[in-house]
Amino acid sequence: MASFLTYVIELEDSEKRTTFNFKQLHHQSELILSSLTEGVFGLDLDGNISFVNPASSRLIRVDADQLIGRTPFETFIKQRREESELIHTLTDGKTRTNNDGYFHNSNGTRFPVEYTVKAMYEDGNISGAIVTFKDITERKESEKYMLQSEKLSLAGQLAAGIAHEIRNPLTSIKGFLQMIKAGYQKDSYIDIMTKELDRIELIASELLLLAKPQINQYKPVEIGHLLKEVVSILDTESIMNDVEVTFFSEYEDLIINGDPNQIKQVFLNFIKNAIDASSKGQNVQIKLLKEEEHALILVKDYGVGIPEEKLGQLGQPFYSTKEKGTGLGLMVSYNIIENHRGQISVKSKLNEGTTFEVRFPIVVNLDT
Ligand code: ADP
Ligand code: MG
């Protein structure tokens, strides 16, 4: 584009040729706009549509002449005008990108979009905005698929430990049943057996949590309590690998907003990875701290570490250094954290260990 513009401006001496070239430029931009698979539309200062490219019409399923001059709000963008980021950009000129938005087509079907809105300027003043967007249905579908595969694989990897975990209470229940059969009957036997059965039930439901697709349900979550639960699910895993997992917090009552099952999955991933990276006798530390408006969770190991050049690759699908790894765990975790408006960072040194730091916004802090 830039080189074409320069070319046109060089020809400025002849009035006629300039007009001709601007026509050509206009034609060229039209060609570019109509060949894009991304939707592009313009907004005037009132927030009405000033132009649309064919891809927009196709994705929204409305003819261009039905769109121009109209407002996108409460039609294909089901949002109040004043709440929309598009309008905010018209006011403050800031470029905004949203990779988790939704537009509606004329059939009333909602589809996930990623869009960027950029202000247009004329003589230094904002004259409108350009919105580019693409339909990300396929990407969302594959993310969902990867989340599910990672869950199943994690469930598979933990299955040996879980089977083992179920065998202990079963053995004890069997023992008590034999005692009862032999005529030794005590209430305490029944109590212990009930406790053991509860334990089996808990383990089975945790395994189901991993294997079954879940509906996202956001609610207040006591993050300290949740972390303790995750550590206890990984008990057998930690014993089998001879890696001690400890949990420490002075802020156990910190509350964040989120889907408890998804957050559990994140920390199952991180702690399982930390155990995998450790050698026998090492330990993995989980800490929950408070940092201003955030709950900060550290998962620290003293294991193999991650080479510096690989740090940037973390979170990309299928990056795995394990024979039976999926390379999906971190990708899925990063997605979940992002959806919870959290942040993640990693510090690692080869042969010294790795620390994953996760931050979630605190909702209510009962401390203060
Ligand atoms: P997987 O565990 O199936 O390999 P993940 O996405 O969970 O997939 O992790 C991807 C890769 O990141 C791992 O294979 C490993 O190389 C690296 N990694 C993750 N966590 C750690 C850690 N705590 N220490 C060392 N390497 C790690
Ligand atoms: Mg993993």
Side-chain angles (χ1 to χ4, degrees):
M1 258 321 244
S3 64
F4 185 71
L5 256 176
T6 337
Y7 169 66
V8 173
I9 286 159
E10 271 170 12
L11 291 170
E12 231 174 26
D13 45 9
S14 150
E15 187 73 13
K16 227 171 152 192
R17 293 189 73 172
T18 313
T19 328
F20 170 74
N21 280 298
F22 271 118
K23 240 185 198 166
Q24 202 179 358
L25 178 65
H26 181 72
H27 180 64
Q28 184 115 344
S29 342
E30 292 241 298
L31 262 180
I32 295 172
L33 279 176
S34 50
S35 65
L36 287 177
T37 52
E38 286 194 334
V40 181
F41 63 88
L43 291 178
D44 63 21
L45 275 179
D46 297 324
N48 292 326
I49 297 171
S50 51
F51 71 85
V52 295
N53 75 336
S56 300
S57 303
R58 189 164 34 76
L59 291 165
I60 304 165
R61 301 194 187 193
V62 178
D63 288 342
D65 52 355
Q66 299 279 317
L67 287 167
I68 290 168
R70 308 250 166 109
T71 166
F73 305 106
E74 284 152 22
T75 55
F76 67 90
I77 304 179
K78 297 265 187 240
Q79 208 178 15
R80 299 238 314 271
R81 191 180 176 285
E82 55 275 25
E83 281 168 7
S84 167
E85 289 173 314
L86 310 190
I87 295 299
H88 297 161
T89 291
L90 281 175
T91 326
D92 64 14
K94 283 195 187 131
T95 300
R96 292 183 167 80
T97 297
N98 184 335
N99 53 20
D100 204 15
Y102 284 98
F103 285 178
H104 290 250
N105 68 27
S106 60
N107 298 343
T109 313
R110 144 187 135 132
F111 58 99
V113 289
E114 182 179 287
Y115 64 80
T116 299
V117 49
K118 242 183 151 102
M120 281 193 290
Y121 287 89
E122 238 166 73
D123 305 327
N125 298 317
I126 300 175
S127 61
I130 298 193
V131 184
T132 43
F133 69 97
K134 59 178 172 217
D135 180 341
I136 52 166
T137 308
E138 268 176 36
R139 198 181 76 199
K140 286 270 171 191
E141 284 297 313
S142 62
E143 273 176 19
K144 216 159 75 188
Y145 176 73
M146 287 192 212
L147 185 116
Q148 191 53 19
S149 329
E150 170 60 16
K151 276 175 140 190
L152 286 175
S153 141
L154 198 60
Q157 288 170 43
L158 296 179
I162 287 168
H164 184 83
E165 185 102 339
I166 289 180
R167 224 168 61 186
N168 289 340
L170 280 180
T171 312
S172 113
I173 291 170
K174 240 170 134 178
F176 284 117
L177 280 176
Q178 269 161 7
M179 302 265 278
I180 292 169
K181 203 173 163 197
Y184 301 95
Q185 195 136 6
K186 269 197 198 160
D187 281 353
S188 64
Y189 293 175
I190 308 288
D191 291 344
I192 299 173
M193 284 163 70
T194 311
K195 272 204 191 114
E196 298 285 27
L197 283 170
D198 286 346
R199 170 108 192 116
I200 293 177
E201 196 180 2
L202 178 85
I203 297 163
S205 58
E206 294 293 355
L207 186 63
L208 277 180
L209 172 155
L210 274 177
K212 256 202 321 211
Q214 301 281 332
I215 311 155
N216 296 358
Q217 256 183 347
Y218 278 58
K219 54 182 173 195
V221 177
E222 270 187 45
I223 182 74
H225 182 75
L226 181 144
L227 288 168
K228 271 193 192 163
E229 257 177 40
V230 173
V231 171
S232 104
I233 298 170
L234 288 166
D235 254 2
T236 327
E237 195 65 23
S238 111
I239 295 169
M240 288 196 315
N241 290 279
D242 193 12
V243 174
E244 193 189 4
V245 181
T246 56
F247 172 72
F248 168 82
S249 180
E250 286 177 6
Y251 304 97
E252 280 190 27
D253 48 8
L254 284 184
I255 293 178
I256 64 167
N257 190 34
D259 177 344
N261 290 337
Q262 290 195 5
I263 300 173
K264 266 189 202 171
Q265 194 185 349
V266 166
F267 291 102
L268 273 173
N269 282 331
F270 285 149
I271 303 174
K272 175 79 168 63
N273 281 347
I275 297 176
D276 289 346
S278 304
S279 327
K280 280 188 190 312
Q282 287 188 325
N283 67 344
V284 169
Q285 292 161 356
I286 322 300
K287 277 186 192 160
L288 167 63
L289 307 167
K290 186 170 173 257
E291 196 191 69
E292 291 166 11
E293 301 304 302
H294 287 96
L296 166 63
I297 300 113
L298 306 177
V299 179
K300 184 178 175 69
D301 69 63
Y302 298 88
V304 289
I306 302 164
E308 207 178 323
E309 69 274 13
K310 297 287 182 201
L311 276 176
Q313 262 168 276
L314 294 186
Q316 286 177 13
F318 310 121
Y319 168 69
S320 176
T321 51
K322 299 171 196 170
E323 200 183 323
K324 287 190 178 153
T326 58
L328 292 176
L330 290 181
M331 192 218 75
V332 166
S333 303
Y334 284 24
N335 267 335
I336 294 176
I337 293 168
E338 193 181 312
N339 292 341
H340 281 77
R341 306 199 174 280
Q343 293 145 19
I344 168 111
S345 59
V346 192
K347 295 190 181 116
S348 189
K349 228 173 178 177
L350 217 53
N351 301 318
E352 288 186 20
T354 306
T355 305
F356 279 84
E357 299 186 359
V358 186
R359 289 172 176 80
F360 290 115
I362 301 171
V363 175
V364 190
N365 179 11
L366 306 178
D367 265 3
T368 52

